């Protein structure tokens, strides 16, 4: 009889461990664990309850075997002082250790539910706490049809089983968190760019047959860093949450909202028949919602926003293209005085041109393709040169001499102007020294320095 009982427990442990390997959801894990305990372990009933950390109540998540309304009669809580509470459950959760009643007919802890338990064939019961990082999250309870079922050997195996279930719960929770973070912004709870683009692609497919456009609008919160600098990062985080909530309320079920960057958001609308539809939606819903002041850290803040708009199919036939072009339009809006700008295809051509120039400039720095032209300042009355201004030129191998107006802004934007500026000053000094070595008396040379380099 002893060997048979141990074999039953071994069978339960083995079955639950097999379930843990293949199951990825806790509800399925709980249901399978209870089912295995009843079918393989021959327990009269098994149930799993989850602990509400706030209220302290335990809510049954899965039950197998002869319940017949038994659990409905019991107050399940982690607080032993709660009237009519199940002492076994409360003790297991408060003491973080298994609690056993090996004779329901005689144990005072079961006196209140003894008759109902015996009527259903329960003779002994064990309650095992489920722990994650030594924090109680639930319990696993087993009801045996024999008294004195839970002795040392059975308990050793069953404690191992509860530990395995706890480990699986921890693993599932971490996996769920990773899956959540893969598609959602942790701060605002809004979809991130990945999920947003997936939803936009679905919008495009569903509305293409009706010849309706999908709009993607990207938002930038102007001067957001001032909030962080003056009120602190917690205030900035709270503000971002408020912005996300207002955008979600303004868009409703007609579209999708996402947080796509530190202070950038994106919105999509479907069913657009003309660009004016987007303008009306922006003015009447979005800007109206965002125009009201935000209260953060006791301060009332009014914010300014810039937007870029891209429409399918003219500005892109997929979500990534629309998002990229909306961002290009947003950049154009930020450079202008307009609140929002629509995307124009020629913008991308200019961006591609700038990228090409940037790559060529990096090569030009390595190959020393820059030259200085010395523009003289002449004193006409005395007919002599009084000074020079050193002007940089790019002697490109494939484009020839490139004027500074075309490449200096790119040097400044990328930071390469620091290296090029240092070269220009060194080159001017070298030229001055060379003229002196040749027996000449060169006048003063002025070298232009970028504000980026001065900073």
């Amino acid at each position: 009889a002893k060997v048979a009982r141990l074999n039953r427990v071994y069978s339960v442990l083995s079955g639950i461990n097999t379930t843990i390997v293949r199951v990825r959801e806790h509800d399925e894990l709980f249901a399978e664990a209870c089912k295995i305990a009843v079918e393989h372990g021959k327990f009269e009933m098994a149930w799993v309850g989850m602990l509400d950390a706030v209220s302290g109540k335990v809510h049954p998540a899965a039950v197998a075997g002869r319940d017949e309304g038994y659990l409905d009669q019991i107050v399940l809580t982690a607080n032993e002082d709660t009237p009519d509470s199940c002492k076994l459950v409360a003790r297991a959760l408060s003491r973080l250790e298994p609690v056993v009643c090996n004779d329901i007919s005689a144990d005072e802890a079961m006196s209140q539910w003894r008759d109902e338990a015996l009527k259903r064939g329960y003779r002994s019961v064990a309650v095992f706490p489920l722990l994650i990082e030594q924090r109680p999250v639930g319990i696993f309870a087993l009801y045996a049809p024999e008294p004195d079922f839970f002795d040392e050997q059975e308990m050793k195996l069953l404690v191992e089983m509860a530990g395995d279930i706890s480990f699986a719960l921890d693993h599932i929770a971490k996996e769920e968190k990773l899956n959540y973070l893969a598609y959602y912004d942790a701060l605002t709870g809004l979809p991130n760019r990945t999920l947003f683009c997936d939803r936009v692609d679905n919008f495009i497919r569903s509305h293409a047959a009706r010849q309706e456009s999908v709009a993607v609008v990207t938002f930038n919160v102007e001067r957001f860093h001032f909030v962080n600098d003056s009120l602190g990062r917690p205030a900035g985080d709270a503000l971002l949450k408020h912005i996300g909530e207002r955008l979600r309320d303004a868009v409703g079920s007609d579209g999708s909202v996402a947080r796509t960057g530190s202070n950038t958001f994106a919105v999509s609308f479907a069913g657009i028949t003309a660009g004016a539809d987007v303008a009306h939606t922006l003015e009447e819903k979005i800007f109206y919602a965002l125009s009201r002041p935000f209260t953060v850290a006791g301060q009332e803040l009014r914010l300014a926003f810039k937007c870029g708009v891209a429409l399918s199919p003219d500005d892109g036939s997929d979500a990534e293209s629309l998002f990229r072009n909306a961002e290009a339009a947003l950049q154009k809006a930020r450079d202008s005085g307009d609140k929002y700008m629509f995307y124009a295809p020629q913008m991308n051509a200019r961006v591609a041109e700038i990228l090409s120039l940037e790559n060529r400039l990096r090569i030009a720095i390595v190959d020393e393709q820059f030259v200085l032209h010395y523009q003289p300042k002449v004193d006409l009355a005395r007919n002599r040169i009084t000074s020079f201004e050193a002007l940089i030129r790019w002697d490109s191998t494939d484009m020839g001499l490139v004027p500074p107006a075309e490449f200096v802004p790119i040097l400044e934007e990328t930071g390469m102007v620091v290296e090029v500026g240092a070269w220009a000053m060194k080159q001017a000094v070298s030229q001055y020294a060379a003229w002196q070595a040749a027996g000449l008396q060169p006048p003063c040379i002025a070298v232009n320095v970028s504000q980026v380099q001065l900073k």
Side-chain angles (χ1 to χ4, degrees), residues 30 34 47-52 57-62 76 93 128 130 137-141 169:
F30 296 155
C34 293
W47 66 279
V48 174
M50 296 305 292
L51 173 65
D52 185 326
K57 294 181 179 179
V58 177
H59 304 282
L76 302 171
L93 290 170
F128 302 87
L130 302 177
V137 295
I139 62 107
F140 190 23
L169 279 178

Side-chain angles (χ1 to χ4, degrees), residues 60-290:
V63 183
R66 293 186 62 189
D67 172 32
E68 299 173 356
Y70 179 76
L71 292 179
D72 295 335
Q73 305 175 39
I74 305 174
V75 176
L76 302 171
T77 176
N79 188 356
E80 292 188 55
D81 297 328
T82 301
D84 300 328
S85 65
C86 178
K87 304 303 180 188
L88 303 183
V89 170
R91 288 171 189 168
L93 290 170
S94 61
R95 301 176 187 180
L96 306 185
E97 60 185 21
V99 177
V100 176
C101 169
N102 259 325
D103 188 356
I104 291 177
S105 65
D107 196 321
E108 280 301 312
M110 293 292 294
S111 60
Q112 192 170 349
W113 304 281
R114 179 179 297 132
D115 292 343
E116 294 293 331
L118 296 175
K119 187 166 65 177
R120 290 167 175 79
Y122 314 154
R123 294 296 179 269
S124 56
V125 56
V127 180
F128 302 87
L130 302 177
L131 310 174
I132 295 180
E133 297 177 352
Q134 289 303 303
R135 177 176 54 85
V137 295
I139 62 107
F140 190 23
L142 297 172
Y143 295 76
E146 309 99 330
D148 299 316
F149 181 90
F150 301 99
D151 66 12
E152 184 178 351
Q153 288 179 289
E154 279 84 356
M155 287 300 294
K156 183 178 180 181
L157 294 174
L158 291 172
V159 167
E160 181 183 342
M161 173 205 67
D164 291 343
I165 294 175
S166 297
F167 175 81
L169 279 178
D170 187 30
H171 177 75
I172 291 171
K174 289 176 179 176
E175 191 172 45
E176 287 176 345
K177 185 175 182 179
L178 286 174
N179 290 336
Y180 178 84
L181 293 176
Y183 295 103
Y184 289 90
D185 171 53
L187 177 64
T188 62
L190 294 173
N192 61 13
R193 176 170 175 166
T194 302
L195 181 56
F196 178 77
C197 286
D198 182 64
R199 290 180 176 179
V200 171
D201 278 328
N202 289 334
F203 283 155
I204 292 172
R205 284 192 293 269
S206 61
H207 287 268
R210 288 176 273 180
Q211 296 184 327
E212 293 176 338
S213 296
V214 173
V216 170
V217 185
T218 54
F219 292 81
N220 178 264
V221 186
E222 296 288 281
R223 297 180 295 279
F224 175 75
H225 67 278
F226 288 131
V227 177
N228 279 341
D229 293 344
S230 59
L231 301 179
R233 185 167 293 277
D237 290 346
L239 179 59
L240 292 172
K241 290 180 182 178
H242 291 325
I243 293 171
E245 290 167 2
R246 288 201 191 175
L247 283 174
R248 188 160 41 199
D249 292 341
V251 173
S253 59
D254 297 333
S256 180
V257 182
R259 183 186 177 208
T260 56
S262 60
N263 62 324
T264 56
F265 295 82
V267 169
S268 65
F269 306 104
I272 304 297
T273 56
D277 295 343
V278 181
H280 291 153
T281 300
L282 285 174
E283 293 288 354
E284 296 169 9
K285 290 186 177 181
I286 305 298
F287 292 140
Y288 174 76
L290 299 177

Side-chain angles (χ1 to χ4, degrees), residues 204 212-216 272 310-318 322:
I204 292 172
E212 293 176 338
S213 296
V214 173
V216 170
I272 304 297
L311 289 169
S312 69
D314 294 341
D315 300 335
S317 57
D318 59 84
L322 285 177

